[in-house]
Amino acid sequence: MTNGAKAAVLRTGSIPALLEPAPRWRGAGRRRTGGTGLMAGRIEDYALLGDLGTAALVGADGSVDWLCLPRFDSPSCFAALLGEERHGHWSLAPADHGARPAGRRYLGDTLVLETRWRTPTGEARVLDFMPQRPPTRDGEPPRLVRLVEGVDGSVAMRGSLRVRFHYGRVVPWVRRTGHHRVAVAGPDAAWLSVPPGVHTYGAGEGADGCTRSDFTVAAGERVAFTLTWQPSHLAAARRFDPERSLQQTLDGWEGWSARCRYRGPWRAPVLRSLLTLKALSYAPTGGIVAAPTTSLPEWLGGPRNWDYRYCWLRDASLTLAALLRGGYREEAASWRRWLLRAIAGERSGVQALYGVAGERAMPETEADWLPGYDGSRPVRIGNAAVGQVQLDIQGEVADMLHRALDAGIPMERQVWSLFRSLMATVAGRWREPDEGLWEMRGGKRHFTHSKVMCWVAADRAVRMAEATGLPAPLAEWRALRDAVHADVCAQGYDARRGVFVQAYGGDGLDAATLLLAQCGFLPADDPRVARTVDAIRDELDLDGFVRRYDPATTADGLPGGEGAFLACSFWLAEALALGGRSEEAAEVFDRTVAVGGELGLLSEQWDPAARRQLGNAPQAFTHVALVNAAFALDAPLNGG
């Protein structure tokens, strides 16, 4: 099949691989280690479940290997993703160990996962989902539902549940009560609802603390298990109807998806990305996490393993901008309220990240009892980037507020007052060095992208003041905008090479300069922009994908390498599209979308040699870049 034919197939809605695929379930089965259990599968083999409060990752082998309860940044109760089975997981699959899934998909435009299993005796499917917990349902506990349905013949099934609180470190006390198994340790309790007729054994009586369930499902039969978290001091889990909840969950996600206003040939990956971004939002407060995981490595065996279960102002702003483009205003208004609460009282500039409820302290520690994903250590809890200076953040926040205003969300005076204080920070600090977009740990520098985003802050401030008539020092802001622009063009541009560079005084490239036209700093047809795009495409290429910079020549303060940064490949596609090079843009876009596989989920990075995803997953930053690139490619169809 030609590349053009492959691209045409891709844009019909399904997502086949444009690369030669790995064997269908290679890595889906779990691999033996030298320890006491089995390690996790490949990152791209994990499906996302979410309830607008937290998220679970389900492997292709039917094992839930990651789940933090009750919220994204809580300690996990399943941590096999970063260790072994003994660190917590919940598997549900045919008892025949040779069985392999016949296929996986999300039901329609939802987060309800279907896994089909075929055995010599029949076929069954497992529906996995987490009922949504919108803020209107006061006190609704988080639940994970696993519903097994017989499709043909009969299939012997086996479930294995190991609850391990505090990132796999705490083995709970397990007891039986009625049709429940209850795991309790400290403040946490997990209630497993066991259907009548299902033989359950082990746990408190077993040596490995595992609750096992053996049953056979025949065609037409349905067996539902529900795991509910609640504070351990509460007496009993509430009554719950999994069948009714399934329909409510399907209806809830389908109703949300129906509001998507993207119209174009890439609707399937765009909508899956928007669903993923919505799933990373924390409904009670409006906060949005960068990813639901911690410490999935940017390079196997290396130390570039970070905790992304927090709300980066940059990532959240970009996420809301993408949701606004997709037609979702409520999320933008909710996040803006979160922003007001989170940064209230800040005087010397905002933090790079906050907790989902606006917490400001998240010290970085190491979970030294976990071996890490594929041996990649350390496993980190918390993120030291909270103390960094990242001057680009105000620009992303300003751009999001401007987009919200354009979308018809009024600018309240209290929001404007807060924004003016942010602008005072920009005016006072834009000439300072910082750690930049990539959160360098090798010292502060004058990063070109950070300066450009200071220009964005001033530009959007002027535009919003002019549009609303709200009080503002317009002359100062216009002068600031002009000064930053002149400074970047003088010091961030290498006249000898004819390209914009990563930092003042250097000659290295940075993929973040692909955003010069996207943010409006310069037109896409400016020769300086075009030369920068071509240079990045040539010099930061990694087998058809784009690195964010060259780690071998960039002093980022960390040893080892990393993969191609998937968002940067989408940035390249968008830059090419804005420059009128639509065929080249579509080729880059299709190649990058394809690494998401059949579920359309993308992590932070990609290793083209091993053909596998790297980094925390699914990654909001990547899915935002996908949405923006698709809108750029299809601008005439979407009002662009």
Side-chain angles (χ1 to χ4, degrees):
M1 184 182 292
T2 66
N3 287 338
K6 291 177 180 178
V9 171
L10 175 63
R11 291 192 288 270
T12 62
S14 61
I15 310 178
L18 296 179
L19 311 170
E20 285 302 314
R24 181 173 177 81
W25 297 111
R26 189 183 74 181
R30 300 151 72 77
R31 54 190 183 277
R32 283 283 171 191
T33 71
T36 60
L38 296 167
M39 294 286 281
R42 294 160 68 100
I43 292 171
E44 55 266 41
D45 290 331
Y46 282 95
L48 173 73
L49 308 178
D51 65 359
L52 306 182
T54 189
L57 295 186
V58 189
D61 60 351
S63 180
V64 182
D65 286 348
W66 183 254
L67 176 60
C68 297
L69 294 172
R71 52 184 236 182
F72 291 106
D73 54 357
S74 298
S76 68
C77 67
F78 300 144
L81 182 68
L82 301 176
E84 303 170 359
E85 288 184 338
R86 62 190 176 91
H87 295 115
H89 75 110
W90 184 11
S91 67
L92 186 59
D96 178 0
H97 292 294
R100 289 290 181 268
R104 294 195 304 165
R105 61 169 182 154
Y106 286 109
L107 296 184
D109 297 323
T110 77
L111 285 185
V112 177
L113 176 71
E114 176 192 75
T115 304
R116 286 186 170 263
W117 297 92
R118 290 197 187 102
T119 71
T121 60
E123 180 178 349
R125 68 172 185 161
V126 178
L127 300 181
D128 291 322
F129 67 97
M130 298 183 73
Q132 291 185 12
R133 285 191 289 153
T136 52
R137 298 183 192 172
D138 185 40
E140 192 73 15
R143 294 185 174 93
L144 173 58
V145 181
R146 314 200 71 181
L147 193 152
V148 185
E149 179 182 46
V151 176
D152 181 64
S154 64
V155 178
M157 300 289 295
R158 173 164 295 166
S160 298
L161 172 66
R162 290 179 175 88
V163 175
R164 299 292 185 268
F165 294 118
H166 196 67
Y167 304 104
R169 194 174 195 178
V170 176
V171 180
W173 170 54
V174 182
R175 72 181 190 275
R176 185 196 302 269
T177 172
H179 291 297
H180 289 89
R181 287 295 183 101
V182 187
V184 176
D188 301 296
W191 292 67
L192 175 66
S193 175
V194 180
V198 172
H199 177 49
T200 302
Y201 57 97
E205 301 89 342
D208 61 358
C210 176
T211 297
R212 293 180 171 83
S213 303
D214 289 338
F215 61 99
T216 298
V217 61
E221 294 181 344
R222 290 162 74 101
V223 179
F225 297 84
T226 302
L227 186 69
T228 303
W229 178 94
Q230 66 180 29
S232 59
H233 65 270
L234 298 182
R238 300 178 186 177
R239 294 180 62 86
F240 176 75
D241 184 346
E243 295 281 359
R244 180 183 179 188
S245 181
L246 171 61
Q247 192 59 54
Q248 291 174 337
T249 303
L250 288 168
D251 292 344
W253 286 115
E254 288 283 7
W256 189 87
S257 299
R259 293 160 45 203
C260 176
R261 72 176 185 87
Y262 172 85
R263 298 293 180 267
W266 286 283
R267 183 173 172 83
V270 167
L271 187 49
R272 181 52 54 189
S273 290
L274 291 172
L275 279 162
T276 301
L277 295 175
K278 175 64 173 176
L280 297 180
S281 65
Y282 185 69
T285 66
I288 299 175
V289 299
T293 56
T294 179
S295 300
L296 291 181
E298 295 175 1
W299 195 256
L300 294 180
R304 298 170 183 254
N305 317 317
W306 315 112
D307 192 346
Y308 278 9
R309 299 169 301 144
Y310 305 106
C311 301
W312 270 255
L313 292 192
R314 175 193 307 109
D315 297 52
S317 299
L318 294 171
T319 297
L320 265 301
L323 287 168
L324 275 172
R325 297 186 79 168
Y328 297 99
R329 291 178 47 183
E330 294 177 8
E331 288 76 9
S334 179
W335 179 83
R336 200 172 66 173
R337 291 191 294 270
W338 173 87
L339 175 68
L340 282 170
R341 296 189 300 270
I343 69 176
E346 299 279 23
R347 290 291 182 267
S348 59
V350 296
Q351 293 184 179
L353 61 147
Y354 296 83
V356 295
E359 296 89 350
R360 299 181 182 183
M362 49 205 72
E364 186 175 299
T365 60
E366 296 181 6
D368 56 10
W369 59 91
L370 287 172
Y373 179 87
D374 209 358
S376 302
R377 303 180 74 178
V379 172
R380 291 184 169 93
I381 299 169
N383 199 306
V386 70
Q388 288 190 346
V389 176
Q390 298 176 24
L391 295 177
D392 66 296
I393 292 172
Q394 279 83 198
E396 277 99 11
V397 171
D399 186 62
M400 184 269 162
L401 293 175
H402 180 251
R403 289 177 183 271
L405 186 65
D406 276 354
I409 300 174
M411 176 65 71
E412 295 94 341
R413 287 191 174 271
Q414 66 269 26
V415 178
W416 187 246
S417 175
L418 178 140
F419 177 69
R420 287 188 60 174
S421 71
L422 293 183
M423 285 307 302
T425 300
V426 175
R429 304 190 66 180
W430 74 270
R431 293 186 183 276
E432 298 177 9
D434 73 339
E435 277 94 356
L437 165 71
W438 306 124
E439 300 180 345
M440 300 284 192
R441 299 196 176 194
K444 296 178 182 177
R445 300 176 67 189
H446 290 281
F447 290 104
T448 300
H449 174 263
S450 294
K451 308 299 186 186
V452 169
M453 294 313 296
C454 289
W455 175 88
V456 168
D459 179 72
R460 303 319 188 253
V462 170
R463 293 191 194 188
M464 288 189 286
E466 292 174 340
T468 63
L470 289 167
L474 263 174
E476 294 179 18
W477 287 353
R478 289 182 180 128
L480 172 63
R481 180 175 61 180
D482 293 344
V484 178
H485 198 280
D487 190 72
V488 171
C489 290
Q491 300 196 63
Y493 180 71
D494 184 339
R496 180 183 61 83
R497 300 184 62 197
V499 298
F500 285 91
V501 293
Q502 180 181 64
Y504 290 5
D507 59 3
L509 297 177
D510 192 314
T513 56
L514 290 168
L515 303 175
L516 287 167
Q518 182 203 87
C519 71
F521 184 83
L522 286 171
D525 59 0
D526 187 295
R528 294 168 293 180
V529 172
R531 286 194 297 266
T532 300
V533 170
D534 285 336
I536 288 172
R537 187 174 194 177
D538 292 340
E539 297 180 32
L540 295 184
D541 174 77
L542 189 63
D543 292 339
F545 297 86
V546 182
R547 295 175 295 171
R548 51 184 178 174
Y549 52 79
D550 184 353
T553 60
T554 298
D556 61 9
L558 295 164
E562 62 178 22
F565 208 80
L566 289 170
C568 297
S569 294
F570 286 122
W571 292 350
L572 175 60
E574 183 175 8
L576 291 169
L578 293 174
R581 300 157 67 176
S582 57
E583 290 188 7
E584 296 173 72
E587 180 185 356
V588 174
F589 184 88
D590 287 343
R591 180 166 57 247
T592 311
V593 167
V595 307
E598 62 182 357
L599 296 178
L601 298 177
L602 294 162
S603 68
E604 184 179 36
Q605 301 193 25
W606 173 255
D607 179 354
R611 303 202 324 273
R612 62 182 299 174
Q613 293 187 22
L614 298 169
N616 285 304
Q619 178 77 212
F621 210 57
T622 305
H623 285 282
V624 165
L626 185 158
V627 172
N628 288 335
F631 270 91
L633 280 160
D634 299 322
L637 294 172
N638 293 282

